[in-house]
Amino acid sequence: MGPFDVPLEDERTQLEAFIEEYRTALETTLDGLTEEQARRRLVPSATTPLGLLKHVTWMQRVWFEECVGGTPRKELGLVPDPEESFRLSGDDTIASVTAAYREACATARTTVKELPLATVVTGHRTGPRTLHWVYLQVLRELAHHCGHADILREQLLAG
């Protein structure tokens, strides 16, 4: 169900529809790419199509498992810095990064399932947030990185 299917639903349903749309859109930017294309750097930063998916996996784990769930990054095995989360290891493949991404999305859904949007969560190092705020932040990040992924994919397929 996409966001245009839920215009009159409650706010949470609307937010979740947008988040799911962007989650899917980001994952599908890897469709049909080779491993080499998915890892190719087209910009000076470490941003690659596969690196974007790895970063967004990290981002969702930070906001849902750390901030909402209360488990510190170190215990989650997450790198401390967002910039590091883009870096690919030699073991990273489209299949492995996609599997980790899907797992992070599933965990996020489970973590928030019973929580009202007004729930105050305190696991983030910058201080308390409402779940509503977390949803907006995750939506912002997903939309931002979908744009990057679309442009990189376009460049890869044109060249």
Side-chain angles (χ1 to χ4, degrees):
M1 178 181 337
F4 291 100
D5 298 323
V6 294
L8 301 176
E9 300 296 324
D10 63 278
E11 185 174 16
R12 184 186 188 117
T13 301
Q14 293 173 12
L15 287 169
E16 289 176 351
F18 275 98
I19 288 171
E20 291 302 326
E21 178 182 42
Y22 281 113
R23 281 176 172 158
T24 300
L26 189 61
E27 183 179 339
T28 60
T29 62
L30 295 175
D31 287 355
L33 297 183
T34 65
E35 293 290 336
E36 186 277 327
Q37 287 173 316
R39 298 176 77 87
R40 190 180 307 161
R41 289 175 65 169
L42 300 170
V43 294
S45 71
T47 305
T48 64
L50 192 59
L52 280 166
L53 195 65
K54 187 171 182 176
H55 167 71
V56 171
T57 301
W58 176 89
M59 176 274 296
Q60 290 191 95
R61 294 194 68 201
V62 165
W63 287 112
F64 292 113
E65 295 177 47
E66 180 182 43
C67 183
V68 177
T71 305
R73 282 175 210 195
K74 191 170 188 169
E75 284 182 43
L76 293 169
L78 298 175
V79 295
D81 180 82
E83 294 306 313
E84 292 177 63
S85 70
F86 285 91
R87 292 193 181 96
L88 298 169
S89 74
D91 295 335
D92 287 328
T93 64
I94 293 171
S96 69
V97 173
T98 299
Y101 176 73
R102 289 176 180 169
E103 183 178 333
C105 292
T107 299
R109 288 182 203 101
T110 300
T111 301
V112 299
K113 187 174 183 168
E114 302 297 325
L115 299 175
L117 286 177
T119 301
V120 175
V121 295
T122 59
H124 197 264
R125 62 185 177 207
T126 60
R129 303 280 187 259
T130 62
L131 180 59
H132 184 261
W133 189 96
V134 170
Y135 269 37
L136 291 173
Q137 172 63 16
V138 168
L139 181 57
R140 184 187 71 78
E141 286 259 357
L142 286 167
H144 182 75
H145 293 308
C146 273
H148 294 143
D150 285 343
I151 290 168
L152 292 175
R153 179 181 174 82
E154 184 178 331
Q155 288 179 311
L156 285 164
L157 296 178

